[in-house]
Amino acid sequence: MALLTILHYPDKRLHKVAKPVLAVDDRIRKLAEDMAQTMYEAPGVGLAATQVDVHERVVVIDVSEEKNDLRVLINPEIIFHSEDQNTYEEGCLSVPGVYDEVDRPARVRVRALNLEGKSYEFEADGLLAVCVQHEIDHLNGKVFVQHLSMLKQTRLKARLRKEQRELERV
């Protein structure tokens, strides 16, 4: 297992749309394993391959308190979402230290492949529904801050660029 480098917003690579995984093989299983280790170490509850500069449709999620319920989603797609919405305060490993409220469908049904390449479906609500939608957004080249107002996005980009310049001086 290896820790992977997480890209930070506003890195342009976070906006690349991930390509479907054509074959679930040892390379994809190793990627999922490395992503899980990286997510747990960060620590976070979800990580999309896009965030580690791999532009294939792979997501790892574990919203359990004990961190013992890892879900690997390969080529995930939302096949149903409820009309009712929930507002949830979101954060992101690619936007460290930033949290804001985002409205999303309260419930979703997801279809994905597992590590054996078999299709499966599950329904999600609460934190799991938020996390699934957040990570699929990453695969589609979208970062959660893009759900915020343009004013908040502009201020956030300016602040993060300033912080990056200060880090580069050190």
Side-chain angles (χ1 to χ4, degrees), residues 11-30:
D11 192 307
K12 291 181 181 357
R13 294 172 289 180
L14 288 168
H15 301 295
K16 288 179 79 172
V17 176
K19 292 180 172 34
V21 171
L22 300 177
V24 179
D25 54 18
D26 287 343
R27 182 184 65 81
I28 293 296
R29 286 186 276 277
K30 171 84 166 97

Side-chain angles (χ1 to χ4, degrees), residues 13 58 62 70 75 85 98 102 106 108-109 116 118-119 126 133 135 146 150 152 156 161:
R13 294 172 289 180
V58 179
D62 188 343
L70 179 66
N75 296 336
Q85 303 268 310
V98 175
V102 176
V108 294
R109 182 161 190 78
E116 287 75 46
K118 302 237 185 311
S119 180
Q133 293 172 83
E135 300 309 331
Q146 292 175 267
M150 287 306 296
K152 283 185 177 182
L156 177 61
R161 285 189 179 117

Side-chain angles (χ1 to χ4, degrees), residues 3-153:
L3 286 179
L4 305 171
T5 301
I6 298 172
L7 300 177
H8 288 156
Y9 183 80
D11 192 307
K12 291 181 181 357
R13 294 172 289 180
L14 288 168
H15 301 295
K16 288 179 79 172
V17 176
K19 292 180 172 34
V21 171
L22 300 177
V24 179
D25 54 18
D26 287 343
R27 182 184 65 81
I28 293 296
R29 286 186 276 277
K30 171 84 166 97
L31 172 64
E33 184 178 302
D34 291 346
M35 287 173 58
Q37 181 185 6
T38 302
M39 174 189 70
Y40 288 130
E41 186 72 25
V45 295
L47 187 67
T50 301
Q51 293 176 270
V52 294
D53 202 19
V54 176
H55 302 283
E56 294 180 89
R57 300 186 76 79
V58 179
V59 165
V60 294
I61 294 174
D62 188 343
V63 297
S64 69
E65 289 290 324
E66 302 80 21
K67 300 301 175 205
N68 64 354
D69 188 25
L70 179 66
R71 294 172 183 254
V72 176
L73 289 67
I74 300 167
N75 296 336
E77 58 181 320
I78 295 172
I79 56 175
F80 163 82
H81 62 83
S82 63
E83 293 297 319
D84 53 318
Q85 303 268 310
N86 274 349
T87 302
Y88 211 95
E89 186 176 72
E90 293 187 30
C92 181
L93 295 176
S94 290
V95 195
V98 175
Y99 301 89
D100 213 321
E101 292 185 342
V102 176
D103 293 327
R104 296 188 186 270
R107 292 179 319 283
V108 294
R109 182 161 190 78
V110 180
R111 178 182 302 132
L113 300 177
N114 64 19
L115 288 172
E116 287 75 46
K118 302 237 185 311
S119 180
Y120 72 105
E121 294 182 10
F122 65 95
E123 293 190 15
D125 59 10
L127 179 58
L128 181 57
V130 170
C131 193
V132 165
Q133 293 172 83
H134 178 113
E135 300 309 331
I136 290 176
D137 272 358
H138 276 300
L139 298 179
N140 293 328
K142 189 171 186 177
V143 180
F144 94 96
V145 296
Q146 292 175 267
H147 288 278
L148 307 179
S149 71
M150 287 306 296
L151 177 61
K152 283 185 177 182
Q153 289 181 53

